[in-house]
C-alpha cells in the first residue's frame, strides 16, 4: 500500500512532536529538571531522529540528481524507489534516462554511419545552416579544393570564393528549391565541378517546410570536360583532314569533266587526284588501326624477338625514303643477340612510325640513331634520335594526340596524317610501357619508349 508523500511528512512531524513532548514531560514533571534543560535534552534525540527521517525523504531526490548527472557520463544509477510521489518521480526520471540513453546511442551510431559514408564519398559535400555558415565539409571536398580543415562557421564565399556558388546557396535558402550548375575553381588547379544545391527542410509540425540549411554536392567533371574537348578537337581535325583532299579531288575531277581530259594537263590532274586519294586511304587506314588498338577485342601476341631482326625489318620499310634525303641510320644494342618480348607487328609499327617521323622532319643528309638500352629501371628503353628542326617545348606534351601537328603546313606537305605518334603511344601502352619525347629547337628530337623485360601484355581498354 502506498503512503503518500504529504502523509509521510505529517506522520514524521507528529511523531517528532510526540517524542519531544514525552521526553520533555518526563524530565520536567518526573525528574524535576528545569524547563530549559528539559527542552534542550528533549531536542537532542529529536534532532537525531529528525535527521534520519529527512535523510530518508531526501534520498529519492539525491538519487534522481545522480541519475540526471549520470546521463552525461553514460552511467546508470540503480536503487530502491519509495512508495510515494517521490518514488513515482524517481521511476519516471529513470525511464526518461533510459530512453535518453537509447536515443543518444542511436544518434551516435547514425552519426558514425554518416561520417563513414561522407568519408568514403568521392564527391565533395558542403553543409550550411540558414545563415550560410558552414557546418560540415567532408575530406573529399577539402582535398578537391585544397582548403584548410578550419572552415567551421565561415561562409562558402570566404572559403571557396565563388560568387555563383554563394548566389545559388542564397536562392536555395530563400526558396527551398534545388539548383544545379557548373563551376570552375581556378584556385583548385582550374578544376570544373557540377554542383547540386539542395535545401534542408524542417519536418516539425509547428514549422513545416522551413528551410534549415542547404547541402551542396560537388562532382569533379574536370576529366570529362577534358575528354569532351579532346573529342571536339578530334572531330574538328578529322573533318578538316578529310575535307582538304576531298575538295582537291572534287575540284580536279570537275575540271577534267569540263573538258580538260583531252588537254596536256590531264595527266598531271590525275596524278594530283591519285596522290590525294592515297592520302585519304592512309588516313582511313590509320584511323582503323587506332580503332582496332582501342577495341576490347584487340590483343597482342607476345613472343621472344631478336632486337636486331626487329630493327632491320623496320629499316627495310623506311630505307627508300631515307636514301632520297641522303640520311644515314645507325643503331646499337646491348649485346649482339639481345631479345625483346612483345608483339612483332606492333613493335615493328612503332619503329616504322618513329623512323618515318625522323626522316620527314630530319635535315637533308642528316643522321638518325637508334639506341637500345637494357639497364634502366623501367625495363628496356629504345630511342630514335634525329638532328632535324626540333620541337618547341610547349608542344612536347601534345605531340602524341591525334591529328596534332607542330607545323600544320609542313606536315601536310610531307604527307603525314597526324596519327602516327598516336598509334605509337597506344601500342607501347598496350605492352605496359611508356613513351615520351625530348627536343631542342635546331638540334633535333629524340623519341623514347620503354618495354617491360618480360610481362603479360594486355589490351589498352583494360
Amino acid at each position: 500500500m502506498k503512503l503518500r508523500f504529504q502523509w509521510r511528512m505529517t506522520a514524521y512531524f507528529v511523531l517528532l512532536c510526540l517524542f519531544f513532548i514525552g521526553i520533555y514531560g518526563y524530565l520536567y514533571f518526573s525528574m524535576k529538571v528545569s524547563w530549559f534543560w528539559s527542552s534542550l535534552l528533549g531536542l537532542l534525540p529529536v534532532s537525531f531522529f529528525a535527521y534520519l527521517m529527512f535523510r530518508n525523504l531526501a534520498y529519492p531526490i539525491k538519487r534522481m540528481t545522480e541519475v540526471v548527472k549520470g546521463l552525461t557520463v553514460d552511467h546508470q544509477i540503480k536503487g530502491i524507489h519509495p512508495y510515494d510521489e517521490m518514488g513515482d518521480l524517481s521511476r519516471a526520471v529513470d525511464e526518461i534516462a533510459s530512453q535518453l540513453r537509447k536515443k543518444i546511442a542511436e544518434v551516435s551510431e547514425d552519426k558514425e554511419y554518416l561520417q563513414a559514408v561522407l568519408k568514403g564519398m568521392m564527391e565533395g559535400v558542403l553543409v550550411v545552416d540558414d545563415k550560410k555558415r558552414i557546418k560540415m565539409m567532408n575530406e573529399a571536398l577539402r582535398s578537391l579544393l585544397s582548403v584548410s580543415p578550419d572552415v567551421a562557421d565561415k561562409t562558402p564565399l570566404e572559403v571557396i570564393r565563388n560568387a555563383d556558388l554563394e548566389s545559388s546557396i542564397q536562392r536555395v535558402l530563400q526558396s527551398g528549391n534545388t539548383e544545379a550548375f557548373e563551376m570552375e575553381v581556378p584556385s583548385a588547379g582550374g578544376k570544373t565541378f557540377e554542383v547540386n544545391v539542395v535545401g534542408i527542410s524542417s519536418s516539425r509540425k509547428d514549422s513545416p517546410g522551413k528551410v534549415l540549411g542547404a547541402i551542396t554536392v560537388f562532382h569533379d567533371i574536370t576529366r570529362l570536360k577534358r575528354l569532351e574537348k579532346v573529342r571536339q578537337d578530334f572531330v574538328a581535325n578529322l573533318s578538316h583532314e578529310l575535307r582538304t583532299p576531298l575538295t582537291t579531288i572534287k575540284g580536279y575531277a570537275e575540271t577534267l569533266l569540263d573538258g580538260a581530259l583531252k588537254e596536256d594537263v590531264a595527266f598531271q590532274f590525275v596524278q594530283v587526284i591519285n596522290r590525294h586519294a592515297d592520302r585519304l586511304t592512309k588516313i582511313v587506314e590509320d584511323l582503323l588501326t587506332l580503332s582496332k588498338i582501342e577495341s576490347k577485342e584487340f590483343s597482342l601476341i607476345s613472343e621472344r624477338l631478336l632486337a636486331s631482326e626487329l630493327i632491320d625489318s623496320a629499316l627495310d620499310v623506311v630505307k627508300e625514303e631515307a636514301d632520297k634525303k641522303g640520311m644515314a641510320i645507325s643503331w646499337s644494342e646491348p649485346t649482339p643477340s639481345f631479345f625483346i618480348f612483345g608483339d612483332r607487328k606492333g613493335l615493328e609499327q612503332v619503329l616504322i612510325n618513329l623512323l618515318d617521323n625522323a626522316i620527314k622532319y630530319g635535315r637533308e643528309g642528316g643522321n638518325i640513331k637508334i639506341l637500345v638500352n637494357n639497364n634502366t629501371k623501367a625495363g628496356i628503353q629504345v630511342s630514335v634520335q634525329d638532328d632535324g628542326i626540333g620541337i618547341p617545348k610547349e608542344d612536347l606534351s601534345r605531340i602524341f594526340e591525334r591529328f596534332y601537328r607542330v607545323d600544320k603546313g609542313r606536315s601536310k606537305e610531307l604527307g603525314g596524317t597526324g596519327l602516327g605518334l598516336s598509334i605509337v603511344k597506344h601500342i607501347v601502352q598496350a605492352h605496359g610501357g611508356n613513351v615520351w619525347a625530348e627536343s631542342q629547337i635546331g638540334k633535333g628530337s629524340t623519341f623514347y619508349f620503354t618495354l617491360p623485360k618480360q610481362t603479360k601484355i594486355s589490351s589498352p581498354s583494360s
Side-chain angles (χ1 to χ4, degrees):
M1 179 179 177
K2 287 188 178 181
L3 186 62
R4 292 300 182 184
F5 181 74
Q6 61 267 30
W7 292 114
R8 288 180 65 191
M9 288 289 293
T10 304
Y12 287 160
F13 180 75
V14 171
L15 287 174
L16 288 174
C17 290
L18 292 174
F19 188 58
F20 174 76
I21 292 171
I23 294 174
Y24 176 82
Y26 175 76
L27 292 174
Y28 184 75
F29 292 105
S30 299
M31 302 297 293
K32 302 301 180 179
V33 180
S34 67
W35 68 270
F36 174 77
W37 288 107
S38 297
S39 301
L40 183 61
L41 292 173
L43 283 173
L44 289 175
V46 168
S47 299
F48 175 73
F49 285 110
Y51 167 75
L52 294 178
M53 290 178 180
F54 282 104
R55 190 181 68 167
N56 180 264
L57 290 173
Y59 170 73
I61 298 175
K62 181 181 177 182
R63 228 193 114 267
M64 286 186 286
T65 303
E66 292 174 347
V67 170
V68 173
K69 288 182 178 178
L71 292 175
T72 61
V73 294
D74 194 23
H75 176 59
Q76 186 171 3
I77 308 297
K78 291 186 178 180
I80 301 173
H81 303 288
Y83 292 98
D84 58 10
E85 291 88 343
M86 296 298 292
D88 294 339
L89 179 59
S90 178
R91 280 185 286 272
V93 170
D94 275 348
E95 182 64 25
I96 292 172
S98 177
Q99 294 297 327
L100 281 175
R101 288 190 188 94
K102 290 181 181 178
K103 292 296 181 183
I104 291 172
E106 291 175 2
V107 170
S108 298
E109 187 176 0
D110 291 342
K111 184 178 179 181
E112 290 176 1
Y113 282 143
L114 179 61
Q115 292 292 342
V117 170
L118 292 174
K119 188 175 181 179
M121 288 180 64
M122 298 298 293
E123 294 80 6
V125 179
L126 177 71
V127 180
V128 300
D129 61 15
D130 56 345
K131 296 179 181 179
K132 292 192 297 185
R133 295 290 176 180
I134 296 175
K135 291 302 176 185
M136 192 277 294
M137 176 186 289
N138 69 342
E139 290 293 334
L141 186 56
R142 290 193 183 100
S143 177
L144 289 170
L145 300 179
S146 302
V147 299
S148 64
D150 186 21
V151 297
D153 291 329
K154 293 182 180 179
T155 64
L157 188 61
E158 292 175 309
V159 177
I160 304 176
R161 300 188 182 278
N162 187 280
D164 292 338
L165 176 63
E166 184 78 5
S167 301
S168 180
I169 292 176
Q170 180 64 39
R171 289 192 296 270
V172 170
L173 290 176
Q174 291 175 350
S175 65
N177 297 327
T178 300
E179 289 199 6
F181 63 98
E182 289 185 5
M183 180 183 76
E184 187 173 343
V185 184
S187 60
K191 291 181 179 178
T192 304
F193 297 94
E194 181 181 347
V195 183
N196 297 91
V197 186
V198 182
I200 305 173
S201 300
S202 172
S203 58
R204 294 174 57 181
K205 295 181 179 179
D206 56 345
S207 57
K210 180 182 177 182
V211 180
L212 304 177
I215 298 177
T216 307
V217 182
F218 296 76
H219 305 270
D220 188 0
I221 58 172
T222 306
R223 185 171 178 271
L224 293 177
K225 284 292 182 182
R226 289 174 182 168
L227 291 175
E228 178 66 16
K229 180 67 166 57
V230 171
R231 186 192 67 81
Q232 291 174 349
D233 291 345
F234 172 73
V235 172
N237 289 330
L238 178 60
S239 300
H240 179 74
E241 294 294 333
L242 294 177
R243 185 172 59 249
T244 301
L246 284 174
T247 302
T248 303
I249 291 172
K250 182 174 178 59
Y252 279 94
E254 289 176 348
T255 304
L256 291 173
L257 290 173
D258 289 340
L261 279 172
K262 299 179 181 180
E263 298 180 8
D264 297 336
V265 294
F267 181 71
Q268 297 178 4
F269 286 4
V270 173
Q271 285 183 317
V272 172
I273 291 173
N274 184 64
R275 185 168 65 251
H276 283 278
D278 290 341
R279 175 171 167 74
L280 277 176
T281 302
K282 178 63 175 171
I283 291 174
V284 172
E285 288 177 351
D286 285 350
L287 284 172
L288 290 174
T289 301
L290 271 177
S291 178
K292 180 182 177 182
I293 294 172
E294 293 179 337
S295 67
K296 293 182 179 180
E297 291 77 17
F298 176 74
S299 61
L300 299 174
I301 302 174
S302 180
E303 57 182 303
R304 192 165 176 260
L305 305 172
L306 193 61
S308 57
E309 291 183 359
L310 195 66
I311 295 174
D312 287 338
S313 178
L315 290 176
D316 289 341
V317 177
V318 301
K319 186 177 184 303
E320 183 178 350
E321 292 297 323
D323 291 341
K324 288 181 182 179
K325 295 186 67 173
M327 303 179 76
I329 303 177
S330 60
W331 68 278
S332 62
E333 60 179 334
T335 58
S337 57
F338 179 68
F339 288 92
I340 295 176
F341 289 87
D343 181 84
R344 179 182 295 276
K345 289 184 179 180
L347 294 180
E348 281 183 0
Q349 184 71 56
V350 168
L351 288 170
I352 290 171
N353 286 10
L354 291 178
L355 288 170
D356 183 65
N357 192 73
I359 293 169
K360 286 178 180 177
Y361 299 101
R363 61 182 178 84
E364 295 278 348
N367 296 302
I368 298 174
K369 297 179 181 179
I370 304 173
L371 178 64
V372 181
N373 186 359
N374 190 33
N375 297 319
T376 63
K377 293 181 180 179
I380 301 168
Q381 179 178 289
V382 182
S383 62
V384 178
Q385 179 182 3
D386 64 63
D387 54 2
I389 58 176
I391 302 170
K393 186 177 180 178
E394 60 270 17
D395 293 311
L396 284 174
S397 62
R398 299 195 61 190
I399 56 175
F400 294 98
E401 295 178 11
R402 305 177 191 187
F403 296 116
Y404 187 82
R405 291 188 176 91
V406 177
D407 186 344
K408 292 182 172 57
R410 189 163 185 230
S411 296
K412 292 179 181 179
E413 179 185 338
L414 296 172
T417 64
L419 296 170
L421 292 180
S422 183
I423 292 173
V424 168
K425 181 186 76 172
H426 283 79
I427 293 177
V428 171
Q429 288 179 345
H431 281 80
N434 195 15
V435 61
W436 72 96
E438 297 175 357
S439 182
Q440 290 185 353
I441 297 296
K443 294 185 178 181
S445 305
T446 305
F447 286 82
Y448 300 88
F449 69 90
T450 59
L451 298 170
K453 292 184 179 180
Q454 187 171 4
T455 187
K456 181 180 178 180
I457 294 177
S458 60
S459 65
S461 59
S462 63

